[in-house]
Amino acid sequence: MMTKMAIYEKNEGSEMIKTAKYYKSDYVALGILKSLIATTFAFIIIFILYAFCNAEGIVANINELDYVALGRKVAAYYIGLIVAFSIISGFVYSYKYDKSRKGLKKYFSRLNKLERFYNGQNKKK
């Protein structure tokens, strides 16, 4: 039983113990914040790559571009991406938190069982 618990604690338990430090709302909010930061960096990189790939067309039409419409279009894509990833992240991190809580309950139940076993062994001596 101790070996099984040690393996669990080493593999899956370390991540679950980290989630136990947070309330669910804090854990989900932190996960969403991480996703928003990663999404922002990804959007910036994709935007720069798109600009580099179409640099010739952009330079050729630089005087005829409608910058306000272009800015609105980019902002709409960014906001849509942020909203989509925020919702997805909320569900994913909520699921991960609930799953880790169930695993921790099982882990602590085994710990209690092991403690009762050792207490029973000490009383027999």
Side-chain angles (χ1 to χ4, degrees), residues 32 35-37 39-40 43 76-88:
I32 290 173
S35 295
L36 291 179
I37 292 169
T39 303
T40 300
F43 184 81
Y77 283 134
Y78 176 70
I79 290 170
L81 202 63
I82 289 293
V83 168
F85 276 99
S86 295
I87 292 169
I88 292 168

Side-chain angles (χ1 to χ4, degrees), residues 85-105:
F85 276 99
S86 295
I87 292 169
I88 292 168
S89 297
F91 285 123
V92 168
Y93 280 100
S94 179
Y95 174 77
K96 282 176 67 174
Y97 187 85
D98 292 339
K99 186 178 174 186
S100 72
R101 280 304 210 192
K102 289 178 185 175
L104 279 173
K105 283 182 183 178

Side-chain angles (χ1 to χ4, degrees), residues 2-64:
M2 284 183 64
T3 306
K4 189 185 289 187
M5 288 178 56
I7 291 170
Y8 175 80
E9 188 174 333
K10 184 178 180 184
N11 296 335
E12 302 160 8
S14 61
E15 183 67 30
M16 291 184 185
I17 290 172
K18 288 178 187 176
T19 61
K21 296 177 185 177
Y22 298 101
Y23 291 110
K24 184 176 182 175
S25 59
D26 293 339
Y27 182 76
V28 172
L30 182 64
I32 290 173
L33 181 63
K34 286 186 221 177
S35 295
L36 291 179
I37 292 169
T39 303
T40 300
F41 282 127
F43 184 81
I44 290 169
I45 290 170
I46 290 170
F47 182 76
I48 290 171
L49 287 174
Y50 179 79
F52 282 154
C53 288
N54 297 318
E56 186 177 333
I58 293 172
V59 171
N61 298 323
I62 199 157
N63 291 330
E64 296 147 9

